[in-house]
Amino acid sequence: MNRPANDTFLRALLRQPTEYTPIWLMRQAGRYLPEYCATRARAGSFLRLCKSPSLCCEAALQPLARFPLDAAIVFSDILTLPDAMGLGLFFSENEGPRFERPLREEGAIRALAVPDPHDRLRYVMDAVAETRRSLAGSVPLIGFSGSPFTLACYMVEGGGGEFWHFKKMIYDRPDLAHRILSVNAQAVTRYLNAQIESGVEAVMLFDSWGGCLTEAAYREFSLAYLQRIVAGLAREKDGQRIPSIVFARGGGLWLERIAACGCDALGLDWTIDVGAARRRVGERVALQGNLDPAVLLASPEAIVRETRALLDAFGPADTGHVFNLGHGVSRLTPPEHVGVLVEAVHDYSRRLRGKNRARCGKA
Ligand code: 1CP
């Protein structure tokens, strides 16, 4: 298959020049969209939605039908992978995800095995293929997985929370923690490579909870495994480079180290200034982010102002930045505010490039 007609997102990740700054949003499909709520109601539950490739495709395309976003993301969840490892995922109403069989016993940890993604996660591969077909070469499709550490937090805790169980394990039984992380790293590598084979054009690793660790523990229990995965990913498919993004929530203190893990781009939360981040990582990686999702709850004027300030903070450059939020879209976001954001990013970044060219021309 050929490159998408709009490959701005892929070029920005690979630090090739673009005419404007591309934008997509974490959780761009989700509960802030009434049409998503209708699709989920039709599926019967969130998990049944995740297991229906045609409904996943529908949900993934919904934000693109409304807004001129520069990328689509596969509709799924990071927790389908531990579900395929036998932990028994379920979602209780308004309580978030839970596992029937959290990983607490040494025997269960020793028995943990890497699932065949083409078998236990066939429904995700089918969703990838169907979504890619339906995009019909318009914009690129992003595949994703949780990081080994973030997945382990949920697997040992048995759901969301403050993850005391896994944090205790890394100090009490580092051997067991490493056993889980090492199986997870192999599982994630195979899972992402299967998504690449099925048609995704970029991959993203969500390390949503790595930021809760000490610096030393982060290096040993999160970053080392991210590095292994990135080294094991297929770099190309059909002659096209497949860029990788690592989203490091709470990783602002360790940007240089994360940027050196081999990924093409670093996803930033909103606590760090994007210009400062750029100065710290230099030309090594592209940056993705990092508007505070709360800005989308504010007035259109505030959205435009904050968007321009962020693009100004990134500084003059015609590549290397993918605009995104610092975390997912809040379900309280008025959908039309997303439209204001996308237009502001496209419009203002084009104008900045025009100014740069004029300045360079005069020099
Ligand atoms: O009620 C609903 O409809 C479910 C809400 C929902 C949605 C829309 C969940 C439950 N997951 C998703 C989809 C999802 N999750 C996507 C694809 C959609 C898109 O981006 O457009 C992605 C990429 C994720 C990733 C995900 N799931 C992460 C990593 C990113 C992050 O938010 O930090 C995490 C940690 C999860 C776990 C999860 N799934 C769902 C919830 C409510 C949670 C968080 C649980 C917690 O509180 O810890």
Side-chain angles (χ1 to χ4, degrees), residues 153-210:
C153 283
Y154 287 98
M155 291 161 79
V156 175
E157 193 67 27
E162 291 183 76
F163 307 116
W164 293 115
H165 287 94
F166 191 56
K167 288 193 74 178
K168 173 176 182 293
M169 190 185 289
I170 69 175
Y171 295 111
D172 262 349
R173 292 295 306 269
D175 59 321
L176 292 184
H178 279 302
R179 157 87 193 144
I180 299 172
L181 293 167
S182 148
V183 175
N184 282 359
Q186 292 170 58
V188 169
T189 309
R190 284 190 66 181
Y191 182 43
L192 288 176
N193 280 335
Q195 292 185 41
I196 293 169
E197 273 172 48
S198 302
V200 304
E201 294 153 286
V203 291
M204 176 149 162
L205 281 154
F206 286 93
D207 193 11
S208 301
W209 297 108

Side-chain angles (χ1 to χ4, degrees), residues 27-29 36 40 46 73 76-77 144 154 206 208 327:
R27 297 274 174 108
Q28 61 192 24
Y36 166 80
R40 192 179 70 151
F46 174 68
I73 181 160
S76 190
D77 194 79
F144 70 90
Y154 287 98
F206 286 93
S208 301
H327 202 202

Side-chain angles (χ1 to χ4, degrees), residues 86-169:
L87 274 68
L89 176 64
F90 66 100
F91 282 80
S92 47
E93 204 52 49
N94 298 324
E95 252 195 77
R98 308 220 46 91
F99 287 113
E100 283 165 31
R101 292 172 289 282
L103 272 187
R104 298 276 174 80
E105 307 298 326
E106 180 158 354
I109 294 170
R110 300 260 171 240
L112 193 68
V114 176
D116 176 357
H118 294 290
D119 175 18
R120 304 295 308 273
L121 292 157
R122 181 78 251 161
Y123 62 89
V124 178
M125 303 310 139
D126 291 344
V128 168
E130 189 166 339
T131 309
R132 174 83 189 261
R133 255 195 321 274
S134 300
L135 285 168
S138 52
V139 293
L141 179 61
I142 306 165
F144 70 90
S145 170
S147 73
F149 177 77
T150 291
L151 292 175
C153 283
Y154 287 98
M155 291 161 79
V156 175
E157 193 67 27
E162 291 183 76
F163 307 116
W164 293 115
H165 287 94
F166 191 56
K167 288 193 74 178
K168 173 176 182 293
M169 190 185 289

Side-chain angles (χ1 to χ4, degrees), residues 306-323:
E306 294 300 317
T307 299
R308 291 181 176 184
L310 202 156
L311 289 166
D312 283 333
F314 184 81
D318 65 357
T319 188
H321 184 206
V322 170
F323 203 100

Side-chain angles (χ1 to χ4, degrees), residues 215-252:
E215 176 159 355
Y218 181 74
R219 280 184 354 226
E220 181 179 345
F221 295 95
S222 188
L223 190 55
Y225 292 94
L226 288 167
Q227 222 158 352
R228 274 196 213 175
I229 293 167
V230 173
L233 290 176
R235 306 294 285 172
E236 275 196 7
K237 169 91 193 309
D238 302 335
Q240 193 175 309
R241 264 295 305 280
I242 307 289
S244 58
I245 309 163
V246 169
F247 173 60
R249 188 150 79 102

